[in-house]
Amino acid sequence: MDIFFSGSIRGGRDDVDLYGKLVDLLQQHGTVLSEHVGTEGIEADQKEAGLSDGDIHDQDVAWLQQAEIVVAEVTTPSLGVGYELGRAVAWEKPVLCLYRPDAEHELSAMVRGNGAVEVTEYRTPAEVESVLDEFVRRHR
Ligand SMILES: O=c1[nH]c(=O)n([C@H]2C[C@H](O)[C@@H](COP(=O)(O)O)O2)cc1CO
């Protein structure tokens, strides 16, 4: 199963270690096309590889279109994540958003209020394991 994982990059990298753990969990279920979201130093790597913002956008949207399911960590607000969610919903992909309610930012109504998006609140990656199992099973 092809999975797109979405998480903040230019919106702020405070949660990158957590993204890495979520990517590891998702890799038990299939191929995470956007695994770089959970890797430290990707911006420097992309710069070194000479990728323009246009290249990043086009590759990202291609992976998003290819994915069978989309899982997003939405605690750190990110324009790119919001954009990916909007496109995933428009393509009628199953979308699961993971949100930590103790965070500084309240989750956008455009996500929580979207009937086409499932939102799960959690505190630790361990709590998410069974949620991911169940989400994948339903959409396999
Ligand atoms: O360098 C990048 N590579 C990349 O894949 N993205 C995609 C994947 C992430 O889910 C999302 C993050 O958006 P933002 O950078 O606005 O926080 O956009 C975003 C950037 C930078 O905007």
Side-chain angles (χ1 to χ4, degrees), residues 62-120:
W63 278 330
L64 188 61
Q65 194 161 21
Q66 182 183 335
E68 293 155 82
I69 61 168
V70 176
V71 176
E73 215 297 348
V74 293
T75 310
T76 297
S78 150
L79 283 173
V81 172
Y83 172 82
E84 289 162 354
L85 292 175
R87 296 210 62 174
V89 167
W91 281 324
E92 299 183 358
K93 310 259 181 202
V95 178
L96 173 66
C97 288
L98 305 171
Y99 174 71
R100 303 194 314 286
D102 297 337
E104 184 187 338
H105 298 278
E106 192 56 44
L107 183 57
S108 170
M110 302 308 287
V111 175
R112 207 200 285 281
N114 188 326
V117 169
E118 289 184 39
V119 177
T120 291

Side-chain angles (χ1 to χ4, degrees), residues 10 14 23-24 28 31 63 65 77 90 105 107 122-123 132:
R10 294 191 190 167
D14 287 357
V23 167
D24 287 348
Q28 296 170 15
T31 304
W63 278 330
Q65 194 161 21
H105 298 278
L107 183 57
Y122 74 109
R123 285 179 173 77
L132 292 179

Side-chain angles (χ1 to χ4, degrees), residues 16-83:
V16 64
D17 292 345
L18 172 62
Y19 300 159
K21 289 187 181 116
L22 295 172
V23 167
D24 287 348
L25 289 177
L26 286 168
Q27 280 170 335
Q28 296 170 15
H29 298 286
T31 304
V32 180
L33 302 169
S34 55
E35 66 176 334
H36 64 282
V37 173
T39 308
E40 296 238 28
I42 57 137
E43 289 195 278
D45 294 349
Q46 286 171 343
K47 209 173 201 172
E48 204 177 326
L51 294 182
S52 67
D53 280 3
D55 296 331
I56 292 168
H57 170 273
D58 294 351
Q59 174 64 88
D60 211 69
V61 170
W63 278 330
L64 188 61
Q65 194 161 21
Q66 182 183 335
E68 293 155 82
I69 61 168
V70 176
V71 176
E73 215 297 348
V74 293
T75 310
T76 297
S78 150
L79 283 173
V81 172
Y83 172 82

